[in-house]
Amino acid sequence: MEQRSEWDAIVVGSGMGGLVCAAYLAAGGRSVLVLEQHDVAGGSSHVFRRRRAYEFDVGVHYLGDCGPDGILPAIFSGLGLDGRVRYRAMDPYGFDRIALPGLTVDVPVGWPAYRGRLVEAVPAEAAGILRFTDVCAAVAAETRALLLAEHAPTPAEVMAGTPATARWGRRTVAELFDHCGLTPRARTLLAAQSPNYGMGPHQATVSQHAAVTDHYLRGAYYPEGGGQVMAASLVEALEAHGGELRTRTRVARIRVADGAVTGVELTGGEVLRAPLVVSNADYSRTVLELVGEEHFGRRLVDRTRRATMALPFATLYVALDKELADRPNANLWWYRDGDIEGAYQRLAEGRIAPVPFLFFSFASLKDPGARNVCPPGHTNFQVMTLCPPDYAFWGVHDGPAAGERYRRNEDYQRRKAELTEAMLSAAEEAIGPFREHIVHLETATPLTHERYTLTTGGTPYGLAQWGGAGNRPDTRTTVEGLHVVGAGTRYGSGITGAAVGGLACAAQILDRRLLPETHRGVRLGDPDLLPERAAGWDPLAVSRGARRRDARGLAGIG
C-alpha cells in the first residue's frame, strides 16, 4: 500500500493528548496522521506483557471522575466510543489508604466525607484542615466551572467567577499549609497523594493540588481491561474517520518556513507535509530540538531552557503466585515518617535511602478475573517511588533520548540494584513478607521511561516550573500551525489532564467549545463507523496501527 505524504494535520507522538486531539480532528473532517516512535501507541497509558501470563500498566493506576457526570467518559463519548471503555469503581469508602507511623486514613469519595476522615484522624488540627480543604474545594469548583462553561468567559467574568483561585491558585501548597497553621503530620496526610503530580508542597501550586484531589474525590476507577483499552479505542476512532497511525516511526524535525510549519522530517530523511503539526512530544524537546529555538522568541526559549521537570518514578512490577489476603480495593500510600516536606527536600538533594514513601497499585484487585492481568490465584501489583531528578544519580550524562547507552553501565546497574532492594524492603515493611512468592520482578527507572516516551528526565508529569509559579504553555504556539499537547501544557498531567489538553487543542483548531459540548452529550464521532470487536480482540495489537497490526513480535497472554 502506497503511503501518502500530504495531510491536513500531523500529530507527533501518541500519548493520551495526541490521540484525543488526532481523533477529534479526524472526526471533524481533517485528514490526520499520527507518528509514534514506539512499537505501540499510548504513551504512559500503554501496557507490556511478561511470561505470557502477566500484563503491567505503565501509567494507568487509577482514574478519577469517571461517573455519569465525568469528564473523561464525556471525551470518549464525543467520539462515539460509549461503552468501548468501561470503568470499574474502586472502593468509594476508601479508594486510597494513607499509612503513616501509628496512623491510617482511608480516603473516601466526596469532599465532605474526606474532610470528616481527616478531622477524625487528627482532631487537634480540625480548624486548619477545614480551612485548607475549603480553599482547595473552592479552587477546584471554580476551575471545573470554567472548563465546562458554554461560552468562552471574558477576563472580567473569569475574575468575578474565581475569587478563591485569584487569591490562592498560583501560590504554593506550602504557603497554604503555613496560612492554615498545620503541623508536619497533618501536611503529610493532606499531601500524601502529591506523587500523583510529581511535586512537593514547596513546588506545587494550590490549583494543581486542588484539581488532582478533586479529580479523585469525584470517584476513583480503573479501566476494565487495563490502560491499553483507552489508547486502542482512540486509535479505532482515528482510523474509522480516515486517520492513520504509524508506529516505529520517529520524527527527527518539525519543519518550519517563514514562521509557519510545513510538515515533519523522519529520522530516515522522509518528509511528510502538513500545514498543521501537533506535537505530543515533550515540550522542551519540541521547542529546543524538534522545531529549534531559532523559530521562537528569546524570552520563550530562555524560559524553556531554565524550566524544571516534575519528579520521575522508579517502579517495581511484581507478580506473585498467591493472592494477597484481606486487602481492600484501594491503593496504598505508605510513608516512613510524618514529614513529607522533609522527604521531598531529601529527594531534591539526591538522597533516597532509606526509601521515604511508596505507592502501591494492585491491578489484580482493580480488575478481578481479567485474564490479561494474571492467572487465577496470583497477584499483579506495582510499587512506585519518586526519584531524584538528575541523570547523575544514575551514573549517566545525556540520557537515552539523546542516544546514550546505559543499561550495561556499571554505575547504573549498581544504583538500580540498590534501589530495587531498598524498595522491596520498604514494601515488605508496608504490606508484610511476599518475596518467597515472587514469580516475576522487574524494575523500571526514569531512564526506562525516557527510553520509551522520550520525556525529559523520564517524568510522566511534564513541566514543574516554566517561568512563574503555576505557569505552563497553552496548546497554541507562536509558530503558525504549530500546537502542543501532553503533560507539559496548562491543562495538567495524568490521563485526564492530558486528554482535556488534547481536546482543548482540537477545539482551538476546529473553533468549537468541545468540552462543554461533549459533556452535555454532543457527538462528533460516528459510532456506526467503528469496527466490531471480535472474540479475542487485543488492544495491544490495535494500538500498533492498521499497517502493523499483524506484524510479528506481539506478546500474547496464555
Side-chain angles (χ1 to χ4, degrees):
M1 183 187 301
E2 183 180 352
Q3 297 193 103
R4 54 188 291 187
S5 60
E6 293 191 24
W7 300 81
D8 293 335
I10 294 174
V11 178
V12 180
S14 67
M16 192 56 52
L19 286 177
V20 167
C21 183
Y24 269 92
L25 291 179
R30 307 293 180 96
S31 62
V32 184
L33 172 66
V34 178
L35 302 172
E36 169 56 50
Q37 58 96 26
H38 187 31
D39 184 57
V40 296
S44 291
S45 69
H46 84 269
V47 304
F48 65 92
R49 294 168 178 167
R50 293 292 185 263
R51 302 177 184 269
R52 297 187 62 83
Y54 307 103
E55 183 175 280
F56 296 103
D57 268 295
V58 171
V60 179
H61 301 106
Y62 64 147
L63 306 168
D65 194 18
C66 292
D69 188 47
I71 284 179
L72 192 62
I75 292 174
F76 278 80
S77 294
L79 292 167
L81 295 170
D82 317 56
R84 293 208 165 208
V85 180
R86 293 183 290 272
Y87 309 93
R88 291 184 179 268
M90 296 173 64
D91 190 339
Y93 301 102
F95 59 84
D96 272 342
R97 173 166 288 181
I98 300 169
L100 278 60
L103 181 63
T104 298
V105 175
D106 290 327
V107 178
V109 171
W111 283 98
Y114 175 56
R115 291 187 186 99
R117 290 278 174 87
L118 293 171
V119 168
E120 182 182 3
V122 280
E125 301 197 58
I129 287 171
L130 293 175
R131 191 177 302 122
F132 181 89
T133 54
D134 283 349
V135 169
C136 289
V139 170
E142 291 172 0
T143 302
R144 186 180 176 88
L146 282 180
L147 282 174
L148 297 177
E150 289 294 335
H151 70 278
T154 66
E157 289 172 331
V158 171
M159 289 300 294
T162 58
T165 305
R167 183 180 181 190
W168 284 107
R170 287 180 176 268
R171 298 168 74 176
T172 67
V173 173
E175 289 180 87
L176 184 54
F177 281 159
D178 291 342
H179 174 75
C180 297
L182 294 165
T183 66
R185 193 168 179 82
R187 294 175 186 223
T188 303
L189 278 178
L190 287 161
Q193 297 130 304
S194 59
N196 273 328
Y197 46 79
M199 288 176 270
H202 284 274
Q203 195 171 38
T205 64
V206 173
S207 282
Q208 290 167 326
H209 177 82
V212 173
T213 303
D214 181 72
H215 176 65
Y216 290 110
L217 289 181
R218 291 178 177 274
Y221 300 81
Y222 185 77
E224 186 176 316
Q228 198 69 51
V229 171
M230 305 172 72
S233 298
L234 292 169
V235 171
E236 287 180 326
L238 168 74
E239 294 178 342
H241 292 89
E244 182 180 342
L245 165 68
R246 296 185 195 171
T247 51
R248 287 191 175 179
T249 306
R250 184 166 176 174
V251 172
R253 191 81 174 171
I254 296 173
R255 295 166 65 94
V256 176
D258 299 323
V261 295
T262 62
V264 302
E265 181 179 339
L266 307 183
T267 51
E270 181 182 359
V271 173
L272 302 170
R273 292 181 291 277
L276 175 67
V277 173
V278 178
S279 179
N280 191 193
D282 176 277
Y283 180 80
S284 296
R285 295 193 193 284
T286 297
V287 171
L288 303 177
E289 300 173 18
L290 290 179
V291 177
E293 60 187 67
E294 67 273 17
H295 297 293
F296 297 93
R298 180 179 57 82
R299 291 181 62 186
L300 184 144
V301 171
D302 289 346
R303 177 183 290 185
T304 304
R305 285 194 172 281
R306 293 195 303 268
T308 58
M309 308 300 290
L311 292 170
F313 272 111
T315 306
L316 304 182
Y317 297 96
V318 186
L320 308 181
D321 63 3
K322 72 163 190 172
E323 295 181 352
L324 288 175
D326 302 323
R327 288 221 61 85
N329 184 7
N331 303 308
L332 174 62
W333 298 91
W334 175 86
Y335 282 80
R336 185 172 296 281
D337 60 36
D339 181 14
I340 194 169
E341 289 169 299
Y344 275 103
Q345 180 59 40
R346 291 191 294 276
L347 278 175
E349 295 168 356
R351 294 185 288 140
I352 197 173
V355 174
F357 50 76
L358 295 173
F359 170 71
F360 293 75
S361 174
F362 302 95
S364 47
L365 293 178
K366 295 173 183 177
D367 202 2
R371 61 177 295 273
N372 58 301
V373 173
C374 62
H378 288 219
T379 297
N380 173 326
F381 68 102
Q382 287 92 62
V383 185
M384 306 173 70
T385 195
L386 292 175
C387 296
D390 58 326
Y391 289 140
F393 179 82
W394 299 101
V396 302
H397 302 285
D398 301 316
E404 182 175 4
R405 297 183 179 274
Y406 67 91
R407 285 184 286 175
R408 295 187 180 180
N409 177 315
E410 291 184 1
D411 290 337
Y412 172 76
Q413 289 181 331
R414 174 179 52 79
R415 178 69 79 179
K416 180 178 178 180
E418 291 173 350
L419 183 57
T420 298
E421 176 58 31
M423 291 176 69
L424 280 174
S425 296
E428 291 194 308
E429 287 183 57
I431 66 172
F434 59 81
R435 290 195 205 213
E436 65 181 27
H437 291 281
I438 292 176
V439 290
H440 183 79
L441 174 65
E442 186 170 346
T443 304
T445 71
L447 299 188
T448 314
H449 196 86
E450 181 178 320
R451 177 159 57 98
Y452 285 107
T453 65
L454 305 182
T455 58
T456 299
T459 178
Y461 296 127
L463 297 165
Q465 289 183 317
W466 187 70
N471 280 352
R472 281 186 167 202
D474 190 19
T475 59
R476 194 191 305 272
T477 76
T478 55
V479 176
E480 184 181 345
L482 175 67
H483 294 253
V484 293
V485 294
T489 70
R490 68 183 182 91
Y491 295 94
S493 56
I495 296 298
T496 301
V500 169
L503 185 67
C505 182
Q508 286 182 336
I509 294 166
L510 298 175
D511 195 23
R512 296 181 64 165
R513 295 281 293 171
L514 287 177
L515 185 53
E517 286 186 50
T518 58
H519 194 254
R520 70 170 187 265
V522 173
R523 283 178 174 165
L524 266 74
D526 183 353
D528 292 336
L529 298 177
L530 296 169
E532 290 189 15
R533 292 178 176 176
W537 179 81
D538 187 350
L540 206 57
V542 172
S543 300
R544 295 173 116 191
R547 291 178 180 272
R548 297 192 57 252
R549 195 147 293 154
D550 298 321
R552 292 183 178 182
L554 182 68
I557 292 289

